[in-house]
């Protein structure tokens, strides 16, 4: 679906309001204090896996592009809006052996981190996470991904950019998404910091209103645009990972 500019702006505002606290900045380097070799965005994704008498059971992941996670050292940035109290965000999460903290799915270009360690990190330091997540209800089902065609439609990327002073401002941009050679792609190259971010598209709801859903993860630029690791494949890959771990 291709939207007019006013509607695109309304969706950008809504995404920032409802999912702005789903995203975190990530960077990788050769060691503490070394220049960042990779800079991007990661986001929280939560999927229901069952229910008990005590309530629903969900798995929560931090998702990003695998290309951002192959360094010896990495940092997951914190923002005052995602920690309670806000002072919990004063220092980033520093991780030696950065690549070892992620589950790597190279066939998708995706890396996934179970968030139990992140919650433990917060507990040890006396703060708690205050996040939003891309939930299973927001993530695009397989039939919605299949409906992305060769004709470009409106797409939205919610990311943490890179300012001149090195800060990581929340940014959302309206772009175009289309299918090319059976791959879903954002059709233009995006600025530094955007790789790993969630990509959204829209479909008409029951009353004809545009309803956004998350197509997947923005991968590194190639051939003038960015491939997208889509949720139809992400879901099944994460199920296989959990089965192997639990098995």
């Amino acid at each position: 679906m291709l939207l007019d500019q006013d509607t695109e702006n309304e969706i950008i505002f809504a995404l920032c309001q409802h999912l702005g606290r789903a995203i975190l900045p990530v960077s990788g380097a050769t060691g503490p204090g070394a220049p960042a070799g990779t800079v991007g965005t990661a986001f929280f994704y939560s999927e229901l896996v069952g229910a008990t008498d005590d309530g629903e059971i969900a798995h929560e992941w931090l998702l990003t592009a695998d290309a951002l996670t192959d360094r010896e050292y990495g940092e997951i940035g914190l923002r005052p809006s995602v920690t309670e109290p806000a002072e919990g965000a004063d220092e980033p999460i520093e991780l030696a052996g950065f690549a070892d903290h992620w589950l790597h799915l190279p066939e998708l270009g995706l890396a996934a981190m179970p968030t139990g360690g992140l919650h433990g990190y917060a507990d040890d330091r006396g703060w708690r996470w205050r996040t939003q997540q891309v939930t299973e209800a927001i993530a695009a089902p397989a039939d919605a991904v299949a409906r992305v065609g060769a004709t470009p439609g409106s797409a939205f990327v919610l990311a943490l950019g890179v300012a001149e002073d090195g800060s990581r401002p929340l940014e959302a941009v309206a772009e175009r998404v289309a299918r090319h050679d059976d791959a879903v792609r954002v059709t233009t190259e995006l600025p530094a910091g955007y790789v790993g971010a969630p990509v959204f598209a829209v479909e008409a709801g029951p009353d004809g209103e545009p309803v956004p859903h998350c197509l997947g993860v923005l991968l590194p630029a190639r051939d003038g645009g960015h491939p997208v690791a889509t949720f139809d494949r992400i879901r099944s890959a994460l199920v296989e990972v959990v089965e192997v771990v639990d098995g």
Side-chain angles (χ1 to χ4, degrees):
M1 178 184 289
L2 187 61
L3 306 174
D4 61 76
Q5 186 172 354
D6 286 343
T7 305
E8 288 184 341
N9 289 339
E10 290 173 3
I11 291 176
I12 284 173
F13 178 79
L15 289 174
C16 289
Q17 291 294 307
H18 297 297
L19 289 171
R21 290 187 283 112
I23 61 176
L24 296 175
V26 294
S27 60
T30 57
T38 58
V39 180
T41 296
F43 65 95
F44 288 99
Y45 167 60
S46 177
E47 58 179 352
L48 291 176
V49 294
T52 68
D53 293 340
D54 297 323
E56 296 177 335
I57 302 172
H59 286 160
E60 185 185 60
W61 307 86
L62 190 67
L63 302 181
T64 194
D66 194 41
L68 300 175
T69 66
D70 63 352
R71 304 301 165 115
E72 299 172 11
Y73 169 85
E75 292 183 355
I76 297 174
L78 298 171
R79 304 156 55 213
S81 60
V82 304
T83 67
E84 181 67 42
E87 290 76 17
D90 287 347
E91 299 292 336
I93 300 173
E94 300 179 345
L95 297 171
F98 192 48
D100 296 335
H101 292 270
W102 300 85
L103 298 169
H104 300 277
L105 302 168
E107 68 280 7
L108 301 184
L110 182 78
M113 179 187 292
T115 61
L118 298 179
H119 290 285
Y121 179 95
D123 290 342
D124 291 344
R125 287 156 181 80
W127 56 269
R128 65 181 183 88
W129 292 94
R130 182 175 172 265
T131 63
Q132 297 155 319
Q133 296 116 9
V134 171
T135 63
E136 194 171 9
I138 299 171
D143 57 345
V145 174
R147 284 192 290 272
V148 177
T151 301
S154 294
F156 306 87
V157 184
L158 187 61
L160 295 163
V162 182
E164 290 185 2
D165 62 0
S167 61
R168 302 294 306 275
L170 175 64
E171 299 177 356
V173 295
E175 297 294 344
R176 298 292 177 262
V177 68
R179 188 176 297 277
H180 179 72
D181 291 338
D182 204 34
V184 174
R185 294 174 53 85
V186 172
T187 60
T188 56
E189 291 195 23
L190 295 173
Y194 278 61
V195 170
V199 179
F200 299 85
V202 293
E203 289 194 310
D207 299 321
E209 76 285 5
V211 176
H213 48 238
C214 185
L215 284 176
V217 179
L218 190 78
L219 301 181
R222 189 172 70 232
D223 301 327
H226 292 264
V228 178
T230 52
F231 263 110
D232 54 339
R233 300 182 66 197
I234 291 172
R235 281 191 181 93
S236 56
L238 292 178
V239 167
E240 291 180 8
V241 166
V242 171
E243 288 176 349
V244 169
V245 172
D246 291 346

